Structures are given as structure tokens and as C-alpha cells.
């Protein structure tokens, strides 16, 4: 019993009890804060969409179902927003809801 109690106390002490997160930061691209179109529902994710080995930020927009692409740059910064395109036109995913 003593051994089990000692093990449990050691396990509890080894792991932090509360999650630790960095303070929130406002993301910027091309020196400007990233914002979303009204009504503001967004679905951000990271993916290497251009195959250059750097993560790009994709932000789905509720308005017309467009996807904003912020290319990852070599210095860890993000390029200016470009819309995801298909067939030379801005891609839209309407009626997602």
C-alpha cells in the first residue's frame, strides 16, 4: 500500500496540474493584423498548401464560404492574404451549414 501511495504521489508531482499556454498573440500578415469578414465565423488551420515545406495559415470564411490563404515565409512571418482559387477564380463553398 505504501509503495502504491508513493508511486501515485510521484506521478502527480511529475505532471503539472494545470495546462500552461503562451499568452495570446494577434497574428499578422504582411504587417497587418489578420481579420475575418463579417459575420466573423472562421475556421483556421495550418497546412503546407504550396509544397514549399513551410506551414501556411488557411482561414475559412463564413461569408460565401471562401478560404483565405496566408503563405508561410522563411522568417516565420505570413504573407499578405490571398484567396484560395480553383480554375482561376476565387473558390467558394456555399451552403456549408
Amino acid at each position: 500500500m505504501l509503495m502504491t501511495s508513493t508511486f501515485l504521489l510521484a506521478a502527480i508531482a511529475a505532471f503539472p496540474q494545470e495546462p500552461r499556454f503562451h499568452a495570446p498573440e494577434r497574428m499578422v500578415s504582411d504587417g497587418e493584423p489578420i481579420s475575418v469578414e463579417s459575420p466573423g465565423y472562421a475556421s483556421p488551420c495550418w497546412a503546407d498548401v504550396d509544397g514549399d515545406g513551410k506551414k501556411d495559415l488557411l482561414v475559412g470564411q463564413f461569408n460565401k464560404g471562401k478560404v483565405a490563404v496566408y503563405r508561410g515565409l522563411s522568417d516565420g512571418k505570413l504573407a499578405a492574404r490571398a484567396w484560395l482559387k480553383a480554375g482561376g477564380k476565387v473558390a467558394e463553398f456555399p451552403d456549408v451549414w
Side-chain angles (χ1 to χ4, degrees), residues 35-95:
S35 62
V36 297
E37 294 180 352
S38 182
Y41 304 112
S43 301
C45 69
W46 293 96
D48 182 10
V49 295
D50 55 7
D52 64 358
K54 298 179 215 76
K55 296 286 185 178
D56 306 306
L57 177 64
L58 287 82
V59 182
Q61 307 280 328
F62 182 74
N63 186 20
K64 297 183 181 178
K66 298 182 292 186
V67 177
V69 178
Y70 300 91
R71 286 190 20 217
L73 304 175
S74 59
D75 56 2
K77 295 181 180 177
L78 297 171
R81 177 185 71 192
W83 294 110
L84 182 67
K85 293 185 177 183
K89 296 181 179 180
V90 174
E92 293 184 3
F93 306 91
D95 301 325

Side-chain angles (χ1 to χ4, degrees), residues 7-31:
F7 175 75
L8 286 174
L9 287 174
I12 291 170
F15 298 101
Q17 299 300 307
E18 296 180 21
R20 297 180 184 173
F21 298 99
H22 291 279
E25 292 182 35
R26 181 71 186 242
M27 303 222 34
V28 297
S29 75
D30 199 32

